[in-house]
Amino acid sequence: MKALMFGWEFPPHILGGLGTASYGLTKGMHNNGDMDITFVIPKPWGDEERGFANIIGAGNTPVAWRDVSWDYVNTRIGKVMDPQTYFNLRDHIYADFNYMRLNDLGCIEFSGKYPSNLVEEINNYSIVAGVIARTVPCDVIHSHDWLTYPAGIHAKNVTGKPLVIHVHASEFDRSRGKPNPTVFAIEKDGMNNADHIITVSNLTRNTVIEKYGIDPAKVTTVHNAVIPLSDELLNLKRTTSKDKVITFLGRITMQKGPEYFVEAAAKVLNKNRNVRFVMAGGGDMEEAMIRLAAKHGIADRFHFTGFLRGKEVYQMFRDSDVYVMPSVSEPFGISPLEAMEMGVPSIISKQSGCAEILDNVIKTDYWDVDAMADAMHSIITNKALYNTLRDRGIEEIHNITWEKAGKKVIDIYKKVIDARK
């Protein structure tokens, strides 16, 4: 079965859980066998893991003819994409896009991030999708999150193949219930045009049904998972510290509830000053959280690390005694699974999708800072509780695999393909 996937992030260059989930699911589907996956991203960097998916860069796909040699193309993009793929794509340019700002290869360049002109990049990505869809044979099209829904719709219109969209988060989650009309419209259009919708949790499924007016029969939940860690990461040495360490790791935005973490930290420190709190990540609320910690007089017990990636994330988990995810509205939340895999007892909000499948964690309402603080204090002072959450958490995580999630997605593919026959 051939799947044409459109995504926005791919490890190791990720800014959130979208890239991690896209990678894990793609690899899990490949491991099920009989899958040929082409994964499109705006801008490959050349160090992405290969072998289980053919990666095509939208920024390396020509939308206007350029008379260039194989050697020149190899010099320009050989590190990120097979030059022959460029020429194959060049044979399927469907309109004259020379009026656009193009590079010397006739390609639209992408930032590979979330720039201020994001909507423009999303539109450009959908233009490129037309060339790719005309070039790469597929049985099904799969779009990951709202940024790629227009690309998926274009590819569906070009090929006539069924479209599956994957809702990793909704605008209602990101905005605390006050959606941006432009983003909402893109999401709604994607859902209306999709043959089937995958959500990462029942929480998100309910949002899709209730807020976007989608037929429940069209929406299936496939929970996320984790990829088994290498021995190198599992055997990382802990940085020596006499204090207990409690960590928040994620985007410091209103969706993630960072202020509740700071408020709970202040309550814990009123009982026990031998605790350090870490807020790892970046976001538009970071400065506000620094001021809030100072307001509570706990700045000397608080550390802001900035954005962490790759091995740095797992070193942070290794150095932590407790991981906390106080999200206000979390479609899933992979980070608690990653923390548990490293043997870190975790506290998560009841308003998170992963709460639907995790048993060996402590769950609190995001707004209940007293309960959150009590849970933090209990884990760092009760050795038996700590050991139970650690050991049972590791055992539980081993049964939550991307291969199982991948099998569910493949079954959905078969369903939508059969419905077209």
Side-chain angles (χ1 to χ4, degrees):
M1 188 188 307
K2 298 180 184 295
L4 174 58
M5 283 193 182
F6 292 96
W8 203 260
E9 296 183 10
F10 205 83
H13 302 276
I14 59 174
L15 295 171
L18 175 60
T20 302
S22 298
Y23 167 82
L25 179 64
T26 307
K27 196 164 190 176
M29 292 173 67
H30 172 80
N31 291 344
N32 273 277
D34 194 29
M35 283 300 307
D36 181 353
I37 302 171
T38 296
F39 200 103
V40 184
I41 51 177
K43 182 178 180 177
W45 299 87
D47 53 356
E48 295 85 6
E49 184 180 340
R50 309 289 173 127
F52 58 91
N54 174 37
I55 296 176
I56 291 181
N60 309 128
T61 298
V63 295
W65 182 275
R66 294 292 185 267
D67 187 11
V68 289
S69 68
W70 193 96
D71 287 341
Y72 183 71
V73 174
N74 186 48
T75 300
R76 290 281 281 104
I77 65 171
K79 292 182 179 179
V80 298
M81 194 169 81
D82 180 0
Q84 187 57 52
T85 301
Y86 169 88
F87 291 105
N88 293 343
L89 292 162
R90 195 181 65 172
D91 291 338
H92 295 90
I93 296 170
Y94 59 94
D96 184 2
F97 293 104
N98 278 300
Y99 68 89
M100 301 185 69
R101 187 166 59 249
L102 307 177
N103 65 15
D104 57 328
L105 295 178
C107 303
I108 304 170
E109 295 188 342
F110 292 84
S111 66
K113 299 178 182 179
Y114 297 86
S116 57
N117 66 329
L118 181 59
V119 173
E120 179 185 355
E121 287 213 348
I122 291 169
N123 181 62
N124 290 343
Y125 190 67
S126 71
I127 290 172
V128 175
V131 175
I132 296 171
R134 286 171 169 84
T135 309
V136 179
C138 68
D139 301 302
V140 64
I141 299 155
H142 189 152
S143 285
H144 290 278
D145 231 32
W146 71 280
L147 308 121
T148 73
Y149 295 167
I153 293 170
H154 191 178
K156 175 182 178 177
N157 291 337
V158 166
T159 64
K161 302 299 183 180
L163 170 64
V164 174
I165 69 166
H166 209 128
V167 184
H168 294 266
S170 78
E171 181 61 7
F172 283 89
D173 299 305
R174 291 182 290 266
S175 66
R176 283 195 186 178
K178 299 177 180 178
N180 178 307
T182 300
V183 178
F184 176 83
I186 293 173
E187 291 180 327
K188 176 70 167 145
D189 194 39
M191 294 175 191
N192 288 342
N193 281 278
D195 292 84
H196 205 81
I197 300 168
I198 297 173
T199 58
V200 294
S201 64
N202 292 325
L203 181 73
T204 305
R205 182 176 185 269
N206 291 337
T207 298
V208 167
I209 293 167
E210 296 169 7
K211 301 295 186 182
Y212 296 83
I214 303 301
D215 180 357
K218 189 177 174 179
V219 192
T220 301
T221 294
V222 178
H223 290 102
N224 287 334
V226 286
I227 291 177
L229 293 176
S230 66
D231 289 340
E232 177 192 2
L233 295 177
L234 289 172
N235 293 321
L236 286 171
K237 301 298 182 184
R238 177 171 176 140
T239 303
T240 303
S241 174
K242 295 180 181 179
D243 296 324
K244 298 294 184 180
V245 177
I246 300 178
T247 298
F248 169 109
L249 190 149
R251 287 180 291 111
I252 307 177
T253 62
M254 62 179 179
Q255 179 191 354
K256 302 296 182 178
E259 67 270 37
Y260 301 105
F261 179 75
V262 177
E263 297 287 352
K267 292 180 178 294
V268 171
L269 289 167
N270 283 336
K271 300 179 182 178
N272 184 350
R273 295 294 293 185
N274 297 319
V275 188
R276 292 187 180 275
F277 290 85
V278 176
M279 186 163 280
D284 57 12
M285 289 184 67
E286 184 174 2
E287 289 189 11
M289 294 304 98
I290 293 172
R291 291 194 297 270
L292 184 59
K295 176 183 176 182
H296 282 292
I298 60 174
D300 62 322
R301 299 276 94 190
F302 237 91
H303 304 269
F304 293 85
T305 69
F307 186 78
L308 302 180
R309 57 170 51 86
K311 188 176 179 180
E312 295 173 328
V313 170
Y314 295 99
Q315 185 63 61
M316 189 68 256
F317 285 141
R318 174 59 69 225
D319 294 340
S320 302
D321 297 282
V322 183
Y323 173 72
V324 184
M325 188 183 75
S327 297
V328 175
S329 180
E330 185 69 53
F332 186 78
I334 289 179
S335 54
L337 281 69
E338 295 172 327
M340 293 165 68
E341 198 174 13
M342 290 292 290
V344 185
S346 296
I347 302 167
I348 64 175
S349 72
K350 294 178 181 177
Q351 292 74 26
S352 60
C354 63
E356 298 169 10
I357 63 169
L358 294 177
D359 295 320
N360 293 287
V361 294
I362 295 180
K363 304 172 189 178
T364 70
D365 289 303
Y366 71 86
W367 46 261
D368 195 343
V369 293
D370 290 314
M372 198 181 302
D374 287 344
M376 293 177 182
H377 188 259
S378 295
I379 293 173
I380 62 174
T381 58
N382 186 328
K383 189 67 174 177
L385 176 61
Y386 174 90
N387 289 340
T388 297
L389 289 173
R390 179 195 63 197
D391 297 343
R392 291 184 179 175
I394 291 173
E395 182 179 352
E396 182 175 26
I397 288 301
H398 286 165
N399 292 314
I400 302 174
T401 70
W402 280 116
E403 283 72 22
K404 292 179 182 178
K407 176 62 167 59
K408 293 178 181 178
V409 171
I410 291 170
D411 288 342
I412 291 170
Y413 284 0
K414 291 176 179 177
K415 177 181 177 182
V416 297
I417 291 170
D418 287 344
R420 285 295 186 101
K421 293 178 179 178

